Amino acid sequence: MMTPPSRFPSPSQREVSETEETEIVPSSSSSSSSSSSTFRDFRALDDRKKSGLHRCKTAPAMAVVRDLRQHQTQMQKPQLASNSIIIKQSIIFLIIYLSLGVLIYSFNRDYFSGLETHPIVDALYFCIVTMCTIGYGDIAPLTPATKLFACAFVLVGFGFVDILLSGMVNYALDLQENMILTSLRASAGAGNGAGTGRFSAKKYIFDLEKGRMRIRMKVGLALGVVVLCIGTGTMILYFVEDMGWIDSVYLSVMSVTTVGYGDRAFKTLPGRLLASVWLLFSTLAVARAFLFLAEARIDKRHRRITNWVLHRDITVQDLLAADINHHGFISKSEYVIYKLKEMGKIEEKDILQICNQFRKLDPNNSGKITLPDLLESYR
């Protein structure tokens, strides 16, 4: 007589099932909510068995990766000063600098030569002309004390203009460019690419792919700024100082370029008041404009060199020079490094610094950085 198969597993089967489902089978005293969760666990286990996907035994534990991430968050990238902070600092230092100059000049008016119009306006005009290194000569120090003051004032002002105020101009120009680029991207997205084949002045002015203004337009704007500053000064000199057109253009050009021969200068109270504002911004804007011209020439030269490096044929000498590991061939990383060096993007000392840092993270000289190496370096 055949016995029916037992409904209960044998001891060996029970051991196998317990080893496979130790963490899944609930206790008899569990509630109905735990039984429903157990059913879902069984379904997940069954799907995992069907799919044949298993976690690799050599994969790093999630706790180790979590600890590694926590350590990485502690070593943050150094934060640079934001543009708003730079602007606030520039305005504060400018006010302090000019206030100190006006105060010293006001208490020593008798020790300066020149035509007087108003004490505060004359003091502000003298400080601006000195800080911008124009040097008309219509107001000049007479005593040793005021001469020493002028020396210190012009040295501090020269560095102040070069560092802080130039940052203000750069920030204003970058902000304007970003606003225009944002509006162009919005209009391009609203148009859904319609009419891409037609000529567009916006596309000619801005390069949306690179996210910046085209170099030729920066040069054009730079020249436009120069013309605008010279024209504004010419109008002030012609209508306020009652100079002729030739003399107005002449003094305006000598002022914005900070030459200042001294044969012409501002003499009236309204003229000096307007000159204090105009000279401060025009000299900085014109200096930035000529810097754009220099950057355009350098950028054009770099693009020409890059184009030549990328399209020239590689030679045997190039293979020997690029084969850093002496394998008899050039790997992709070696080719990239060699081309970057040819373009002048990186130098040999930069590569050596990176290699030295790699050796610190690879103490076994295996040529690779593994997770144990990283954990060892964090100790």
Side-chain angles (χ1 to χ4, degrees):
M1 182 176 180
M2 298 180 61
T3 59
S6 177
R7 296 172 56 187
F8 300 97
S10 62
S12 60
Q13 293 175 346
R14 189 181 301 113
E15 292 177 357
V16 174
S17 62
E18 288 177 356
T19 56
E20 291 181 351
E21 303 172 1
T22 300
E23 299 178 358
I24 301 176
V25 177
S27 61
S28 58
S29 61
S30 61
S31 61
S32 59
S33 59
S34 62
S35 61
S36 60
S37 62
T38 303
F39 178 74
R40 290 194 297 268
D41 293 337
F42 273 117
R43 290 286 303 273
L45 178 63
D46 184 63
D47 294 339
R48 187 167 57 187
K49 289 182 178 180
K50 289 181 181 180
S51 61
L53 298 177
H54 302 280
R55 183 177 178 273
C56 179
K57 295 181 179 180
T58 60
M62 294 304 297
V64 176
V65 176
R66 192 180 302 110
D67 294 339
L68 181 61
R69 290 179 178 177
Q70 291 177 357
H71 186 276
Q72 289 176 346
T73 55
Q74 295 176 0
M75 301 180 61
Q76 297 179 355
K77 183 179 179 181
Q79 299 293 330
L80 300 178
S82 62
N83 290 327
S84 60
I85 296 177
I86 295 176
I87 296 300
K88 292 178 181 179
Q89 291 178 349
S90 301
I91 295 175
I92 293 173
F93 281 116
L94 178 61
I95 294 174
I96 295 175
Y97 178 81
L98 293 178
S99 300
L100 181 62
V102 170
L103 184 64
I104 294 176
Y105 180 90
S106 300
F107 283 100
N108 297 274
R109 292 170 51 192
D110 297 334
Y111 303 112
F112 288 88
S113 65
L115 179 65
E116 295 184 0
T117 58
H118 189 277
I120 297 179
V121 175
D122 292 342
L124 182 62
Y125 170 75
F126 171 77
C127 293
I128 295 295
V129 170
T130 304
M131 184 179 65
C132 296
T133 67
I134 298 175
Y136 289 130
D138 53 340
I139 299 178
L142 297 176
T143 63
T146 54
K147 289 180 180 179
L148 291 176
F149 159 73
C151 292
F153 198 77
V154 71
L155 289 175
V156 176
F158 187 77
F160 181 78
V161 169
D162 186 38
I163 297 174
L164 295 178
L165 294 184
S166 295
M168 293 178 60
V169 176
N170 295 341
Y171 171 69
L173 294 175
D174 294 338
L175 181 62
Q176 182 182 10
E177 182 177 347
N178 292 332
M179 292 176 60
I180 297 176
L181 284 173
T182 303
S183 62
L184 287 176
R185 291 192 185 100
S187 61
N192 295 325
T196 55
R198 294 181 295 178
F199 173 79
S200 176
K202 295 180 179 179
K203 295 179 181 179
Y204 184 80
I205 297 174
F206 296 95
D207 191 347
L208 294 178
E209 295 181 357
K210 296 181 179 180
R212 61 174 176 83
M213 187 185 298
R214 297 186 186 275
I215 299 298
R216 66 175 72 93
M217 294 311 303
K218 282 190 175 183
V219 174
L221 288 178
L223 296 176
V225 168
V226 174
V227 174
L228 179 62
C229 293
I230 294 176
T232 303
T234 302
M235 294 296 105
I236 294 175
L237 292 168
Y238 181 79
F239 290 103
V240 178
E241 292 290 329
D242 293 330
M243 291 187 181
W245 285 110
I246 302 298
D247 291 337
S248 299
V249 174
Y250 166 76
L251 182 56
S252 179
V253 172
M254 295 301 110
S255 300
V256 298
T257 55
T258 68
V259 175
Y261 287 127
D263 53 342
R264 295 286 190 275
F266 293 85
K267 298 180 180 180
T268 63
L269 176 61
R272 288 184 175 181
L273 186 60
L274 292 174
S276 300
V277 180
W278 171 69
L279 291 174
L280 179 61
F281 291 98
S282 62
T283 52
L284 296 174
V286 171
R288 180 62 182 173
F290 286 113
L291 182 60
F292 271 145
L293 296 176
E295 289 178 352
R297 293 187 60 185
I298 295 174
D299 184 76
K300 184 178 180 181
R301 179 175 177 271
H302 286 173
R303 285 189 283 110
R304 188 183 303 138
I305 293 175
T306 301
N307 186 57
W308 175 80
V309 169
L310 292 177
H311 293 88
R312 75 178 185 87
D313 297 332
I314 189 169
T315 62
V316 178
Q317 289 79 6
D318 296 331
L319 188 143
L320 297 176
D323 186 13
I324 302 175
N325 298 321
H326 305 288
H327 292 156
F329 60 88
I330 302 176
S331 63
K332 184 177 181 181
S333 59
E334 291 174 338
Y335 182 79
V336 171
I337 293 174
Y338 183 69
K339 288 298 181 181
L340 288 175
K341 289 172 62 178
E342 274 194 317
M343 295 176 187
K345 304 292 185 180
I346 58 175
E347 297 181 359
E348 191 71 24
K349 62 179 182 180
D350 301 326
I351 301 175
L352 292 177
Q353 290 178 356
I354 298 174
C355 292
N356 292 333
Q357 186 64 26
F358 185 86
R359 292 191 192 96
K360 294 179 182 179
L361 299 175
D362 182 24
N364 300 323
N365 295 326
S366 60
K368 60 182 70 174
I369 301 175
T370 61
L371 182 60
D373 295 334
L374 291 179
L375 296 178
E376 184 67 24
S377 65
Y378 292 150
R379 292 179 182 177

